[in-house]
């Protein structure tokens, strides 16, 4: 999927597909994570509740006005507005 930033800054937080085992997936298709979204965005995941999360390979991408971003298929991702 493509994302284009028009104004402000948006931060993409990404994990490769191979990290699904560290993200506590659930649901019929395993496409949801039990790790709370706000905790991931604030970089404050409870390591006692989710000990495997520390093994995940977190990648960041900040989009600024005029930037276009391509998120590869099957990559875990979330976004947060920076400004």
């Amino acid at each position: 999927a493509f994302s284009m930033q028009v104004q402000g800054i948006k931060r993409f937080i990404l994990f490769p597909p191979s990290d699904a085992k560290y993200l506590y997936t659930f649901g019929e298709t395993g496409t949801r994570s039990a790790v709370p979204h706000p905790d991931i965005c604030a970089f404050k995941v409870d390591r006692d509740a989710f000990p495997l999360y520390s093994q995940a390979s977190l990648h960041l991408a900040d989009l600024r006005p005029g930037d276009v971003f391509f998120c590869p298929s099957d990559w875990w991702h979330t976004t947060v507005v920076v400004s």
Side-chain angles (χ1 to χ4, degrees):
F2 284 94
S3 181
M4 184 179 139
Q5 192 66 16
V6 176
Q7 67 180 19
I9 301 171
K10 181 186 291 181
R11 177 166 294 145
F12 275 78
I13 301 168
L14 305 123
F15 301 92
S18 59
D19 281 359
K21 58 188 168 268
Y22 308 130
L23 300 176
Y24 298 86
T25 60
F26 68 92
E28 285 183 29
T29 59
T31 57
R32 311 285 279 165
S33 174
V35 181
H37 174 265
D39 294 355
I40 291 174
C41 292
F43 305 103
K44 295 182 179 180
V45 173
D46 182 346
R47 305 300 171 129
D48 292 328
F50 303 102
L52 295 178
Y53 179 81
S54 62
Q55 297 178 52
S57 302
L58 182 142
H59 300 271
L60 298 175
D62 285 348
L63 273 65
R64 290 174 166 63
D67 287 346
V68 176
F69 176 76
F70 174 73
C71 184
S73 179
D74 296 329
W75 274 65
W76 292 82
H77 64 280
T78 189
T79 61
V80 62
V81 175
V82 176
S83 69

